[in-house]
Amino acid sequence: MRYGDTFPFCYSSELAASTRGGDWENSGFMAKSVNKVILLGNVGKDPEIRSTPSGTMVANFSLATTDRVKDQTGNWIDRTEWHNLVAFQRTAEIIRDYVKKGSKLYVEGKIQTRSWDDKTSGEKKYRTEIIINDLSLLSGRGEGEGGGGSYTRSGSSSSFDQRSSAPSEDYGQSAEITDDDIPF
C-alpha cells in the first residue's frame, strides 16, 4: 500500500502518515479494532444479582430487541433477539435497585464469548454476553413490571459508565463467583 491509496471503508490520517514513503506491511502500523454493542430493548425477567466473597456485585439478565420485517407475502412480522447481559460493581447495584422485568434500557457495552467445560457432562459450553459499560434507564415509574426511574451520575447524566473488562469464568446460574474472577 502506498500513500494516497484509499480504503473502501475508511480513511485514517494516522494510517496515511505511517505509510508515507513505505508500504503497509512494513509500516509498523497496528490496525485498530472496535468491540462495541449498542442495544435498546426490554428486560426479559428480573435480574439475577450475586456477590463475590469480597462483596463485588454482579448482575446477570436478558434483554430483548425486536426488528420488524416484511415476510414474502408482504406482512409485517416481529423478530426478537435475546441478549445475555452482565454488569459489575455500581452498575450491578443500580440494576438491582431499578431494573425489573419489562424495564426499557439503553445499553452500551462489548461482546464477549466465553467457554468452559461442563462439570457434569464434561462437554464444552459457550456463552455470548454483553458486558455493560454504559446503562440508561428509560422506563418511567410504573412502566413494565416495576418501572425504574433513572440513575444520575454527577448530577448531570442519566447513565452510569462502567469501564472494566469482565472475567473469563462462567457467570451463568451454575457458576460460583470468586474474587479471582473479577479483573479489577
Side-chain angles (χ1 to χ4, degrees), residues 1-2 15 17-30:
M1 168 143 275
R2 296 275 182 216
L15 174 62
S18 70
T19 58
R20 248 180 230 139
D23 61 289
W24 168 265
E25 291 83 15
N26 298 322
S27 69
F29 178 78
M30 177 62 85

Side-chain angles (χ1 to χ4, degrees), residues 49-52 55-59 87-90 92-94 96 182:
I49 308 297
R50 299 174 185 241
S51 291
T52 64
T56 300
M57 194 167 293
V58 180
F88 298 94
Q89 296 182 325
R90 182 67 181 132
E93 293 174 19
I94 293 163
R96 176 198 64 200
I182 306 298

Side-chain angles (χ1 to χ4, degrees), residues 74-94:
N75 296 319
W76 288 100
I77 58 171
D78 290 340
R79 292 192 180 160
T80 301
E81 185 72 30
W82 289 93
H83 310 274
N84 298 310
L85 281 74
V86 180
F88 298 94
Q89 296 182 325
R90 182 67 181 132
T91 306
E93 293 174 19
I94 293 163

Side-chain angles (χ1 to χ4, degrees), residues 137-165:
L137 308 171
L138 303 177
S139 294
R141 295 189 192 275
E143 291 181 36
E145 285 187 21
S150 65
Y151 170 71
T152 302
R153 181 178 179 208
S154 303
S156 62
S157 172
S158 63
S159 65
F160 178 73
D161 190 12
Q162 174 181 309
R163 303 285 178 190
S164 62
S165 59

